[in-house]
Amino acid sequence: MPRTSIQQKPSAVKPTFKKPDVDEFSKILALRVDNYFKKTGKSKKGGWEATIKTVFLLVLFCVLYALLLSNRFNPWGTFFIALLFGLTHGLIVFNIAHDASHNALFQNNKLNKILSYTFNLVGSNSYLWNLSHNKTHHSYPNIADFDPDIHKQAPLIRVSPTEPYRWYNRFQHVYATFLYMLFSIFFVFVKGLKEFFPGSTSKRWLGIDHPPLREYLVLFFSKVIYFTYTLVIPILVLDVTWQQFFLGYLAIHIILSLFLLSVLIPVHLVDESDFGTVDQKGHLADTWTTHIFKNTIDFSRTSKLANILFGGLNTHIVHHIFPNICHVHYIALSEIIKQSAEEYHIQYHEATMWGAIISHYKLLKRMGSNEIPKQNLN
Protein backbone atom coordinates (compact mmCIF):
# COMPACT_ATOMS: atom_id res chain seq x y z
CA MET A 1 0.00 0.00 0.00
CA PRO A 2 1.37 3.46 -0.89
CA ARG A 3 2.03 5.90 1.87
CA THR A 4 -0.57 8.60 2.24
CA SER A 5 0.23 12.25 1.78
CA ILE A 6 1.07 14.57 4.64
CA GLN A 7 -1.95 16.82 4.93
CA GLN A 8 -0.51 20.05 6.19
CA LYS A 9 -3.00 22.87 6.59
CA PRO A 10 -1.94 26.30 5.36
CA SER A 11 -0.66 28.44 8.19
CA ALA A 12 -0.79 32.18 8.61
CA VAL A 13 2.40 31.94 10.66
CA LYS A 14 5.62 31.96 8.68
CA PRO A 15 7.87 28.95 9.33
CA THR A 16 10.59 29.18 11.95
CA PHE A 17 13.73 27.12 11.50
CA LYS A 18 15.51 25.45 14.38
CA LYS A 19 18.05 27.81 15.92
CA PRO A 20 20.87 25.97 17.68
CA ASP A 21 22.93 27.74 20.32
CA VAL A 22 26.02 27.44 18.12
CA ASP A 23 25.64 26.64 14.42
CA GLU A 24 29.30 25.76 14.00
CA PHE A 25 28.98 24.47 10.46
CA SER A 26 27.46 27.70 9.12
CA LYS A 27 30.12 29.80 10.84
CA ILE A 28 32.96 27.63 9.57
CA LEU A 29 31.51 27.67 6.07
CA ALA A 30 31.25 31.47 6.01
CA LEU A 31 34.80 31.77 7.35
CA ARG A 32 36.25 29.43 4.72
CA VAL A 33 34.48 31.26 1.91
CA ASP A 34 35.74 34.61 3.20
CA ASN A 35 39.26 33.17 3.40
CA TYR A 36 38.97 32.05 -0.22
CA PHE A 37 38.35 35.61 -1.37
CA LYS A 38 41.11 36.99 0.88
CA LYS A 39 43.65 34.52 -0.46
CA THR A 40 42.71 34.97 -4.12
CA GLY A 41 42.19 38.73 -3.86
CA LYS A 42 39.01 38.39 -5.90
CA SER A 43 35.83 40.38 -5.42
CA LYS A 44 32.70 38.48 -4.44
CA LYS A 45 30.98 40.14 -7.39
CA GLY A 46 31.45 39.29 -11.04
CA GLY A 47 34.34 41.52 -12.09
CA TRP A 48 35.69 41.34 -15.63
CA GLU A 49 34.16 37.90 -16.28
CA ALA A 50 30.65 39.13 -15.57
CA THR A 51 31.31 42.30 -17.58
CA ILE A 52 32.38 40.35 -20.66
CA LYS A 53 29.47 37.94 -20.35
CA THR A 54 26.90 40.71 -19.82
CA VAL A 55 28.12 42.78 -22.78
CA PHE A 56 28.38 39.70 -25.00
CA LEU A 57 24.85 38.48 -24.26
CA LEU A 58 23.25 41.90 -24.74
CA VAL A 59 25.14 42.43 -28.00
CA LEU A 60 24.21 38.92 -29.13
CA PHE A 61 20.57 39.69 -28.31
CA CYS A 62 20.65 42.78 -30.56
CA VAL A 63 22.62 41.12 -33.38
CA LEU A 64 20.34 38.10 -33.57
CA TYR A 65 17.29 40.34 -33.58
CA ALA A 66 18.73 42.41 -36.43
CA LEU A 67 19.52 39.24 -38.39
CA LEU A 68 16.01 37.95 -37.71
CA LEU A 69 14.40 41.06 -39.20
CA SER A 70 16.80 41.25 -42.14
CA ASN A 71 14.80 38.78 -44.26
CA ARG A 72 18.09 37.43 -45.64
CA PHE A 73 17.20 33.81 -44.91
CA ASN A 74 14.71 31.22 -46.09
CA PRO A 75 11.96 30.15 -43.63
CA TRP A 76 14.15 27.44 -42.03
CA GLY A 77 17.08 29.84 -41.70
CA THR A 78 14.77 32.44 -40.18
CA PHE A 79 13.49 29.86 -37.71
CA PHE A 80 17.04 28.92 -36.70
CA ILE A 81 17.97 32.57 -36.05
CA ALA A 82 14.72 33.06 -34.13
CA LEU A 83 15.45 29.97 -32.04
CA LEU A 84 18.89 31.27 -31.11
CA PHE A 85 17.29 34.61 -30.28
CA GLY A 86 14.75 32.86 -28.05
CA LEU A 87 17.40 30.85 -26.23
CA THR A 88 19.32 34.07 -25.63
CA HIS A 89 16.35 35.15 -23.48
CA GLY A 90 17.07 32.20 -21.20
CA LEU A 91 20.80 32.96 -21.10
CA ILE A 92 20.03 36.55 -20.09
CA VAL A 93 17.77 35.34 -17.27
CA PHE A 94 20.37 32.90 -15.96
CA ASN A 95 23.49 35.02 -16.36
CA ILE A 96 22.43 38.66 -16.01
CA ALA A 97 18.97 39.24 -14.54
CA HIS A 98 19.20 36.62 -11.80
CA ASP A 99 22.54 37.71 -10.36
CA ALA A 100 21.68 41.39 -10.79
CA SER A 101 18.48 40.92 -8.78
CA HIS A 102 20.61 39.54 -5.93
CA ASN A 103 23.04 42.48 -6.20
CA ALA A 104 25.66 39.86 -7.01
CA LEU A 105 26.64 40.84 -10.55
CA PHE A 106 28.57 44.08 -9.93
CA GLN A 107 29.73 46.16 -6.98
CA ASN A 108 27.50 49.04 -8.09
CA ASN A 109 23.99 48.25 -6.82
CA LYS A 110 22.43 50.91 -9.07
CA LEU A 111 23.88 49.10 -12.06
CA ASN A 112 22.57 45.80 -10.65
CA LYS A 113 19.13 47.38 -10.31
CA ILE A 114 19.18 48.54 -13.92
CA LEU A 115 20.32 45.14 -15.19
CA SER A 116 17.68 43.36 -13.11
CA TYR A 117 15.16 44.92 -15.52
CA THR A 118 16.46 42.58 -18.19
CA PHE A 119 13.83 40.31 -16.63
CA ASN A 120 11.26 42.72 -18.07
CA LEU A 121 13.11 42.84 -21.37
CA VAL A 122 12.58 39.10 -21.88
CA GLY A 123 8.95 39.03 -20.74
CA SER A 124 9.20 38.49 -16.99
CA ASN A 125 8.98 41.10 -14.21
CA SER A 126 11.83 42.21 -11.95
CA TYR A 127 9.55 43.36 -9.14
CA LEU A 128 7.64 40.08 -8.86
CA TRP A 129 10.82 38.05 -9.23
CA ASN A 130 12.40 39.89 -6.33
CA LEU A 131 9.38 39.14 -4.13
CA SER A 132 8.72 35.55 -5.15
CA HIS A 133 12.27 34.34 -5.67
CA ASN A 134 14.65 36.45 -3.60
CA LYS A 135 12.50 37.05 -0.54
CA THR A 136 10.10 34.10 -0.46
CA HIS A 137 11.66 31.11 -2.24
CA HIS A 138 15.12 31.75 -0.80
CA SER A 139 13.67 31.96 2.69
CA TYR A 140 11.48 28.84 2.50
CA PRO A 141 12.69 26.51 -0.29
CA ASN A 142 10.61 23.36 -0.66
CA ILE A 143 8.26 24.30 2.18
CA ALA A 144 4.72 23.87 0.93
CA ASP A 145 2.33 26.79 1.43
CA PHE A 146 5.32 29.16 1.60
CA ASP A 147 7.54 28.43 -1.38
CA PRO A 148 5.81 29.84 -4.50
CA ASP A 149 8.14 27.81 -6.71
CA ILE A 150 6.55 24.50 -5.64
CA HIS A 151 3.04 25.33 -4.49
CA LYS A 152 0.25 25.44 -7.07
CA GLN A 153 2.58 26.48 -9.87
CA ALA A 154 1.04 23.80 -12.06
CA PRO A 155 -2.34 22.65 -10.70
CA LEU A 156 -2.13 19.32 -12.52
CA ILE A 157 1.25 18.39 -11.04
CA ARG A 158 1.88 17.29 -7.45
CA VAL A 159 5.50 17.64 -6.29
CA SER A 160 5.09 17.99 -2.53
CA PRO A 161 3.69 15.45 -0.04
CA THR A 162 1.63 18.24 1.53
CA GLU A 163 -0.29 18.83 -1.69
CA PRO A 164 -3.66 17.07 -2.08
CA TYR A 165 -3.51 13.86 -4.07
CA ARG A 166 -5.82 13.59 -7.11
CA TRP A 167 -6.45 10.56 -9.24
CA TYR A 168 -4.82 11.99 -12.35
CA ASN A 169 -1.53 12.53 -10.51
CA ARG A 170 -0.74 8.86 -11.09
CA PHE A 171 -0.03 9.80 -14.73
CA GLN A 172 1.87 13.01 -14.06
CA HIS A 173 5.29 11.56 -14.84
CA VAL A 174 3.92 10.99 -18.34
CA TYR A 175 2.06 14.25 -19.03
CA ALA A 176 4.30 16.64 -17.05
CA THR A 177 6.68 17.19 -19.96
CA PHE A 178 3.83 18.44 -22.15
CA LEU A 179 2.85 20.96 -19.48
CA TYR A 180 6.48 22.00 -19.07
CA MET A 181 6.59 22.81 -22.78
CA LEU A 182 4.11 25.64 -22.16
CA PHE A 183 6.02 27.18 -19.25
CA SER A 184 7.43 30.28 -20.97
CA ILE A 185 4.15 31.07 -22.74
CA PHE A 186 2.29 30.85 -19.43
CA PHE A 187 4.95 32.92 -17.73
CA VAL A 188 4.91 35.87 -20.14
CA PHE A 189 1.21 35.85 -21.04
CA VAL A 190 -0.43 34.89 -17.74
CA LYS A 191 1.63 34.71 -14.55
CA GLY A 192 3.34 38.09 -14.69
CA LEU A 193 -0.01 39.79 -15.30
CA LYS A 194 -2.16 37.70 -12.97
CA GLU A 195 -0.10 38.46 -9.85
CA PHE A 196 -0.71 42.19 -10.21
CA PHE A 197 -4.47 42.14 -9.99
CA PRO A 198 -7.15 41.50 -7.33
CA GLY A 199 -7.79 37.85 -6.59
CA SER A 200 -4.19 36.91 -7.34
CA THR A 201 -1.93 34.99 -5.00
CA SER A 202 0.29 38.03 -4.39
CA LYS A 203 -1.07 38.79 -0.93
CA ARG A 204 -0.82 35.15 0.16
CA TRP A 205 2.61 34.27 -1.21
CA LEU A 206 4.42 37.55 -1.62
CA GLY A 207 3.18 39.51 1.36
CA ILE A 208 1.69 42.40 -0.62
CA ASP A 209 -1.84 43.72 -0.95
CA HIS A 210 -1.21 45.65 -4.16
CA PRO A 211 2.01 46.57 -5.94
CA PRO A 212 2.89 50.28 -6.02
CA LEU A 213 1.48 52.33 -8.90
CA ARG A 214 4.99 52.68 -10.31
CA GLU A 215 5.23 48.90 -10.71
CA TYR A 216 1.93 48.78 -12.60
CA LEU A 217 3.35 51.35 -15.02
CA VAL A 218 6.61 49.44 -15.38
CA LEU A 219 4.63 46.24 -15.99
CA PHE A 220 2.46 47.89 -18.63
CA PHE A 221 5.24 49.54 -20.60
CA SER A 222 7.60 46.58 -20.41
CA LYS A 223 4.89 44.21 -21.64
CA VAL A 224 4.10 46.60 -24.50
CA ILE A 225 7.78 46.65 -25.44
CA TYR A 226 8.11 42.86 -25.14
CA PHE A 227 5.05 42.02 -27.22
CA THR A 228 5.93 44.70 -29.77
CA TYR A 229 9.40 43.36 -30.51
CA THR A 230 8.50 39.65 -30.25
CA LEU A 231 5.12 39.69 -31.99
CA VAL A 232 4.06 42.90 -33.71
CA ILE A 233 7.28 43.87 -35.49
CA PRO A 234 8.17 40.33 -36.66
CA ILE A 235 4.65 39.75 -37.99
CA LEU A 236 4.86 42.99 -39.98
CA VAL A 237 8.44 42.56 -41.21
CA LEU A 238 9.18 38.87 -41.72
CA ASP A 239 8.60 37.37 -45.14
CA VAL A 240 6.75 34.29 -43.85
CA THR A 241 3.11 33.28 -43.74
CA TRP A 242 1.18 33.84 -40.52
CA GLN A 243 0.89 30.06 -40.14
CA GLN A 244 4.67 29.70 -40.37
CA PHE A 245 5.14 32.53 -37.92
CA PHE A 246 2.88 31.18 -35.19
CA LEU A 247 4.11 27.59 -35.57
CA GLY A 248 7.67 28.87 -35.28
CA TYR A 249 6.72 31.09 -32.34
CA LEU A 250 5.16 28.13 -30.51
CA ALA A 251 8.10 25.84 -31.28
CA ILE A 252 10.59 28.40 -29.96
CA HIS A 253 8.63 28.81 -26.72
CA ILE A 254 8.51 25.02 -26.31
CA ILE A 255 12.27 24.69 -26.70
CA LEU A 256 12.92 27.71 -24.47
CA SER A 257 10.60 26.28 -21.81
CA LEU A 258 12.41 22.95 -21.74
CA PHE A 259 15.76 24.74 -21.63
CA LEU A 260 14.70 26.87 -18.66
CA LEU A 261 13.02 24.10 -16.69
CA SER A 262 15.79 21.55 -17.27
CA VAL A 263 17.90 23.90 -15.14
CA LEU A 264 15.35 25.37 -12.72
CA ILE A 265 13.35 22.27 -11.74
CA PRO A 266 16.01 19.62 -10.88
CA VAL A 267 17.83 21.79 -8.34
CA HIS A 268 15.05 21.32 -5.74
CA LEU A 269 12.34 19.02 -7.03
CA VAL A 270 14.13 15.68 -7.03
CA ASP A 271 13.59 12.32 -5.38
CA GLU A 272 16.29 13.08 -2.79
CA SER A 273 14.51 16.20 -1.51
CA ASP A 274 13.22 16.10 2.05
CA PHE A 275 10.50 18.79 1.82
CA GLY A 276 10.13 20.75 5.00
CA THR A 277 6.95 20.37 6.98
CA VAL A 278 5.98 22.69 9.80
CA ASP A 279 4.16 21.83 12.99
CA GLN A 280 1.03 23.60 14.20
CA LYS A 281 3.17 26.40 15.64
CA GLY A 282 5.07 26.86 12.39
CA HIS A 283 8.31 25.27 13.59
CA LEU A 284 10.66 23.13 11.51
CA ALA A 285 12.96 20.44 12.87
CA ASP A 286 16.06 21.58 10.96
CA THR A 287 18.25 24.65 10.91
CA TRP A 288 17.98 26.72 7.73
CA THR A 289 21.38 25.56 6.47
CA THR A 290 20.58 21.89 7.07
CA HIS A 291 17.26 22.37 5.30
CA ILE A 292 19.07 23.77 2.25
CA PHE A 293 21.33 20.71 2.02
CA LYS A 294 18.37 18.34 2.36
CA ASN A 295 16.36 20.07 -0.36
CA THR A 296 18.92 21.16 -2.94
CA ILE A 297 20.98 19.23 -5.45
CA ASP A 298 23.95 20.30 -7.58
CA PHE A 299 24.40 18.92 -11.07
CA SER A 300 27.36 19.16 -13.46
CA ARG A 301 29.04 20.96 -10.56
CA THR A 302 32.57 21.17 -11.99
CA SER A 303 31.56 21.91 -15.58
CA LYS A 304 32.76 25.32 -16.75
CA LEU A 305 30.38 25.13 -19.70
CA ALA A 306 27.42 24.54 -17.39
CA ASN A 307 28.51 27.48 -15.25
CA ILE A 308 28.72 29.72 -18.32
CA LEU A 309 25.39 28.65 -19.81
CA PHE A 310 23.32 28.32 -16.62
CA GLY A 311 24.73 31.24 -14.64
CA GLY A 312 25.82 28.88 -11.88
CA LEU A 313 22.28 27.78 -11.10
CA ASN A 314 23.40 24.18 -11.52
CA THR A 315 25.63 24.68 -8.42
CA HIS A 316 22.56 25.63 -6.46
CA ILE A 317 23.68 24.93 -2.91
CA VAL A 318 26.26 27.71 -3.19
CA HIS A 319 23.63 30.05 -4.57
CA HIS A 320 21.21 29.49 -1.71
CA ILE A 321 23.78 29.84 1.05
CA PHE A 322 25.64 32.77 -0.56
CA PRO A 323 23.13 34.46 -2.92
CA ASN A 324 25.04 37.76 -2.94
CA ILE A 325 28.13 36.17 -4.49
CA CYS A 326 28.35 36.12 -8.30
CA HIS A 327 28.02 32.80 -10.10
CA VAL A 328 31.49 33.07 -11.69
CA HIS A 329 32.89 31.87 -8.32
CA TYR A 330 30.47 28.99 -7.80
CA ILE A 331 32.65 26.10 -9.02
CA ALA A 332 35.45 26.95 -6.60
CA LEU A 333 33.05 27.66 -3.73
CA SER A 334 31.10 24.46 -4.34
CA GLU A 335 34.28 22.48 -3.68
CA ILE A 336 34.75 24.29 -0.36
CA ILE A 337 31.13 23.61 0.59
CA LYS A 338 31.28 19.95 -0.43
CA GLN A 339 34.46 19.30 1.54
CA SER A 340 33.06 21.12 4.58
CA ALA A 341 29.81 19.16 4.41
CA GLU A 342 31.71 15.86 4.30
CA GLU A 343 33.81 16.97 7.27
CA TYR A 344 30.66 17.68 9.30
CA HIS A 345 28.87 14.54 8.04
CA ILE A 346 26.22 16.51 6.18
CA GLN A 347 24.93 14.83 3.03
CA TYR A 348 25.76 16.73 -0.14
CA HIS A 349 23.44 15.87 -3.03
CA GLU A 350 25.19 15.87 -6.39
CA ALA A 351 24.42 14.38 -9.81
CA THR A 352 24.91 14.77 -13.51
CA MET A 353 22.39 17.00 -15.26
CA TRP A 354 20.69 13.96 -16.77
CA GLY A 355 20.74 12.22 -13.42
CA ALA A 356 19.04 15.20 -11.77
CA ILE A 357 16.34 15.27 -14.46
CA ILE A 358 15.72 11.54 -14.03
CA SER A 359 15.49 12.06 -10.27
CA HIS A 360 12.81 14.71 -10.85
CA TYR A 361 10.70 12.23 -12.82
CA LYS A 362 11.17 9.67 -10.05
CA LEU A 363 9.76 12.28 -7.67
CA LEU A 364 6.80 12.85 -10.00
CA LYS A 365 6.11 9.13 -10.08
CA ARG A 366 6.44 8.86 -6.29
CA MET A 367 4.09 11.79 -5.70
CA GLY A 368 1.77 10.34 -8.31
CA SER A 369 1.51 7.13 -6.29
CA ASN A 370 0.59 9.18 -3.20
CA GLU A 371 3.79 8.00 -1.54
CA ILE A 372 5.75 10.37 0.67
CA PRO A 373 9.48 10.98 0.10
CA LYS A 374 12.06 8.52 1.32
CA GLN A 375 13.29 10.69 4.15
CA ASN A 376 9.79 10.86 5.60
CA LEU A 377 9.22 7.10 5.70
CA ASN A 378 10.70 6.62 9.13
Side-chain angles (χ1 to χ4, degrees), residues 3 6 161 273-277 367 372-378:
R3 301 277 179 155
I6 304 171
S273 293
D274 180 75
F275 291 95
T277 54
M367 292 297 100
I372 62 177
K374 295 175 182 177
Q375 289 83 350
N376 288 322
L377 292 178
N378 296 326

Short mmCIF file of all heavy atoms in Angstrom, two decimals, residues 3 6 161 273-277 367 372-378:
data_model
loop_
_atom_site.label_atom_id
_atom_site.label_comp_id
_atom_site.label_asym_id
_atom_site.label_seq_id
_atom_site.Cartn_x
_atom_site.Cartn_y
_atom_site.Cartn_z
N ARG A 3 2.16 5.02 0.72
CA ARG A 3 2.03 5.90 1.87
C ARG A 3 1.08 7.05 1.53
O ARG A 3 1.05 7.53 0.40
CB ARG A 3 3.40 6.47 2.23
CG ARG A 3 4.42 5.38 2.57
CD ARG A 3 4.28 4.94 4.00
NE ARG A 3 5.23 3.89 4.32
CZ ARG A 3 5.66 3.65 5.54
NH1 ARG A 3 5.26 4.39 6.55
NH2 ARG A 3 6.50 2.67 5.77
N ILE A 6 1.07 13.82 3.39
CA ILE A 6 1.07 14.57 4.64
C ILE A 6 0.13 15.75 4.46
O ILE A 6 0.43 16.66 3.71
CB ILE A 6 2.48 15.07 4.98
CG1 ILE A 6 3.47 13.90 5.04
CG2 ILE A 6 2.48 15.85 6.28
CD1 ILE A 6 4.90 14.35 5.16
N PRO A 161 4.58 16.36 -0.77
CA PRO A 161 3.69 15.45 -0.04
C PRO A 161 2.58 16.17 0.71
O PRO A 161 1.64 15.53 1.16
CB PRO A 161 4.64 14.73 0.93
CG PRO A 161 5.79 15.66 1.09
CD PRO A 161 5.96 16.32 -0.24
N SER A 273 14.94 15.06 -2.33
CA SER A 273 14.51 16.20 -1.51
C SER A 273 13.68 15.76 -0.31
O SER A 273 12.85 14.85 -0.40
CB SER A 273 13.70 17.18 -2.37
OG SER A 273 14.52 17.78 -3.34
N ASP A 274 13.87 16.43 0.79
CA ASP A 274 13.22 16.10 2.05
C ASP A 274 11.84 16.75 2.18
O ASP A 274 10.92 16.17 2.72
CB ASP A 274 14.12 16.53 3.21
CG ASP A 274 13.52 16.21 4.56
OD1 ASP A 274 13.52 15.04 4.95
OD2 ASP A 274 13.04 17.15 5.22
N PHE A 275 11.71 17.97 1.70
CA PHE A 275 10.50 18.79 1.82
C PHE A 275 10.19 19.10 3.28
O PHE A 275 9.83 18.23 4.06
CB PHE A 275 9.28 18.13 1.16
CG PHE A 275 9.39 18.09 -0.33
CD1 PHE A 275 9.88 16.96 -0.97
CD2 PHE A 275 9.02 19.17 -1.11
CE1 PHE A 275 10.01 16.90 -2.35
CE2 PHE A 275 9.14 19.12 -2.48
CZ PHE A 275 9.64 17.99 -3.11
N GLY A 276 10.36 20.36 3.61
CA GLY A 276 10.13 20.75 5.00
C GLY A 276 8.66 20.81 5.35
O GLY A 276 7.84 21.30 4.58
N THR A 277 8.31 20.27 6.48
CA THR A 277 6.95 20.37 6.98
C THR A 277 6.98 21.06 8.34
O THR A 277 7.86 20.82 9.15
CB THR A 277 6.29 18.98 7.14
OG1 THR A 277 7.13 18.16 7.96
CG2 THR A 277 6.11 18.32 5.79
N MET A 367 5.21 10.94 -6.12
CA MET A 367 4.09 11.79 -5.70
C MET A 367 2.79 11.39 -6.41
O MET A 367 1.70 11.60 -5.89
CB MET A 367 4.41 13.26 -5.97
CG MET A 367 5.52 13.85 -5.10
SD MET A 367 5.12 13.85 -3.34
CE MET A 367 6.03 12.40 -2.78
N ILE A 372 4.96 9.24 0.17
CA ILE A 372 5.75 10.37 0.67
C ILE A 372 7.22 10.10 0.41
O ILE A 372 7.64 8.98 0.17
CB ILE A 372 5.50 10.60 2.17
CG1 ILE A 372 5.93 9.39 3.00
CG2 ILE A 372 4.04 10.91 2.44
CD1 ILE A 372 5.77 9.60 4.50
N PRO A 373 8.06 11.15 0.41
CA PRO A 373 9.48 10.98 0.10
C PRO A 373 10.19 10.02 1.03
O PRO A 373 9.76 9.78 2.15
CB PRO A 373 10.05 12.41 0.27
CG PRO A 373 8.87 13.31 0.08
CD PRO A 373 7.71 12.55 0.64
N LYS A 374 11.31 9.52 0.57
CA LYS A 374 12.06 8.52 1.32
C LYS A 374 12.41 8.97 2.73
O LYS A 374 12.31 8.22 3.68
CB LYS A 374 13.35 8.19 0.56
CG LYS A 374 13.13 7.53 -0.78
CD LYS A 374 14.44 7.35 -1.53
CE LYS A 374 14.22 6.75 -2.90
NZ LYS A 374 15.48 6.63 -3.66
N GLN A 375 12.84 10.22 2.85
CA GLN A 375 13.29 10.69 4.15
C GLN A 375 12.17 10.76 5.17
O GLN A 375 12.40 10.85 6.36
CB GLN A 375 13.92 12.09 4.01
CG GLN A 375 15.26 12.09 3.30
CD GLN A 375 15.11 12.09 1.79
OE1 GLN A 375 14.02 11.91 1.26
NE2 GLN A 375 16.21 12.28 1.08
N ASN A 376 10.91 10.76 4.70
CA ASN A 376 9.79 10.86 5.60
C ASN A 376 9.16 9.50 5.94
O ASN A 376 8.11 9.42 6.54
CB ASN A 376 8.70 11.76 5.00
CG ASN A 376 9.11 13.22 5.02
OD1 ASN A 376 9.72 13.68 5.98
ND2 ASN A 376 8.78 13.93 3.95
N LEU A 377 9.81 8.43 5.51
CA LEU A 377 9.22 7.10 5.70
C LEU A 377 9.46 6.55 7.10
O LEU A 377 8.83 5.59 7.50
CB LEU A 377 9.81 6.12 4.66
CG LEU A 377 9.38 6.39 3.21
CD1 LEU A 377 10.07 5.40 2.29
CD2 LEU A 377 7.88 6.32 3.04
N ASN A 378 10.39 7.14 7.80
CA ASN A 378 10.70 6.62 9.13
C ASN A 378 9.70 7.07 10.16
O ASN A 378 9.14 8.13 10.04
CB ASN A 378 12.11 7.09 9.53
CG ASN A 378 13.18 6.51 8.63
OD1 ASN A 378 13.04 5.39 8.16
ND2 ASN A 378 14.23 7.29 8.36
#
